[in-house]
Amino acid sequence: MKRQKLLRTGNNAIILSLIISLAIIFSTSIISKTLLNLKKYPNEVIEVTGYAQKFIISDHAKWECKFSVVDSTLNAAYELIEEQYKAVSTYLLMNKIENKQITKHPLYVNTIYEKDAKGKNTNKIAGYSITQRLTIESDNVNRIKKISEKSTELIGADINFVSMEPEFYCSNLDGIKIAVLAEASMNAKERAESMLKTTRNKVGPIRSSRMGVFQITTPDSTNVSDYGINDTSTIKKKITAVVTISYSIR
């Protein structure tokens, strides 16, 4: 009887020992897998693209125009270009463009030579061509737009007048860029948070970020360029900013 009791005690000890050993092995396996995962994915991140756009109104305009004359002598051409400059200046003044807003560029003088029977220039001077170029700048963008469109009226006054397309700019463009980029960055974080919403993870610190091409286009434009677009043809513009940000996951 005593012997059976001893055998039973020994068997219990063996079973207990096996249970403890298995528990240790199982626990070690779990810890090893956890450490392995931590080692395998120490810098897990989520990369998202943020997008923002803003419509702005230009507050400065630049308009270039030119007119030219041709005469047989240089003195006569100079006198004629001065007469036409006075006529153009008067026209601009009538349209509320002040003299201080006008930049008068140096005259461009071109010598015209007679041609031979084959259409090639000879050494004989036939006359002179003189061109006067003007640049008009103003913060009244609508006025510049209007006068640039109607300035062809000068052609009816026998002036060889050419109007270039006016250019429209925003004086606070750097500040606007910073604001739009901030909005794009916020959009990127919102996208990352939305993607992780169904998991138990959260958005951590920024690991890396890069700015895409900054686009300034016409309001209805869908154009995208790898080199960026900087439209100056319209008063109203659309600014688009794209950023790509990588966040750590916690």
Side-chain angles (χ1 to χ4, degrees):
M1 187 75 179
K2 189 176 181 180
R3 185 177 178 183
Q4 289 178 349
K5 187 176 182 180
L6 288 172
L7 288 172
R8 193 180 299 117
T9 303
N11 290 336
N12 289 339
I14 292 172
I15 293 171
L16 180 61
S17 177
L18 287 172
I19 292 172
I20 293 172
S21 298
L22 289 172
I24 292 172
I25 293 170
F26 183 71
S27 299
T28 303
S29 176
I30 293 174
I31 294 171
S32 298
K33 286 182 178 180
T34 302
L35 292 174
L36 181 62
N37 286 334
L38 290 174
K39 186 176 180 181
K40 190 175 181 181
Y41 305 107
N43 298 312
E44 196 167 354
V45 298
I46 180 171
E47 185 176 90
V48 291
T49 298
Y51 173 88
Q53 66 176 209
K54 183 180 181 67
F55 292 94
I56 60 173
I57 302 295
S58 302
D59 58 5
H60 187 77
K62 180 180 178 182
W63 173 48
E64 290 196 2
C65 58
K66 62 182 180 180
F67 49 96
S68 58
V69 299
V70 176
D71 213 308
S72 57
T73 66
L74 193 56
N75 286 338
Y78 272 122
E79 290 178 3
L80 187 56
I81 198 72
E82 282 301 316
E83 289 178 9
Q84 293 201 356
Y85 174 70
K86 290 178 182 178
V88 172
S89 298
T90 301
Y91 177 82
L92 295 175
L93 185 61
M94 290 173 58
N95 285 274
K96 299 181 180 180
I97 300 297
E98 302 175 11
N99 287 329
K100 65 180 182 180
Q101 297 174 313
I102 303 172
T103 299
K104 185 180 180 182
H105 297 278
L107 294 172
Y108 175 74
V109 181
N110 182 47
T111 303
I112 303 171
Y113 294 92
E114 290 186 0
K115 298 184 180 298
D116 59 20
K118 295 182 179 180
K120 294 182 178 180
N121 288 340
T122 64
N123 294 327
K124 189 174 182 181
I125 296 175
Y128 298 90
S129 169
I130 300 180
T131 300
Q132 175 68 71
R133 184 167 64 91
L134 305 176
T135 299
I136 296 92
E137 294 192 58
S138 173
D139 292 338
N140 193 326
V141 294
N142 292 309
R143 180 176 295 163
I144 293 297
K145 179 176 174 60
K146 183 177 179 180
I147 190 174
S148 67
E149 292 172 347
K150 61 177 286 193
S151 60
T152 50
E153 293 173 340
L154 289 165
I155 297 175
D158 293 329
I159 297 176
N160 186 18
F161 187 85
V162 178
S163 172
M164 312 298 182
E165 286 290 332
E167 298 176 349
F168 303 100
Y169 301 92
C170 293
S171 59
N172 189 34
L173 189 58
D174 288 340
I176 295 172
K177 283 182 177 180
I178 292 172
V180 177
L181 284 172
E183 290 181 16
S185 298
M186 290 177 61
N187 180 254
K189 188 174 183 180
E190 289 172 358
R191 287 170 183 255
E193 289 173 341
S194 177
M195 292 171 68
L196 296 177
K197 192 174 182 180
T198 57
T199 71
R200 295 181 180 179
N201 297 313
K202 293 184 179 181
V203 176
I206 294 176
R207 291 294 180 85
S208 66
S209 64
R210 61 182 183 273
M211 185 179 76
V213 178
F214 207 88
Q215 312 279 355
I216 303 176
T217 63
T218 57
D220 56 348
S221 174
T222 57
N223 292 335
V224 177
S225 170
D226 292 338
Y227 301 97
I229 299 174
N230 186 13
D231 176 77
T232 60
S233 65
T234 57
I235 295 175
K236 189 175 182 180
K237 307 177 189 298
K238 180 175 67 177
I239 293 184
T240 304
V242 178
V243 296
T244 302
I245 302 178
S246 294
Y247 293 96
S248 59
I249 299 177
R250 57 181 184 179

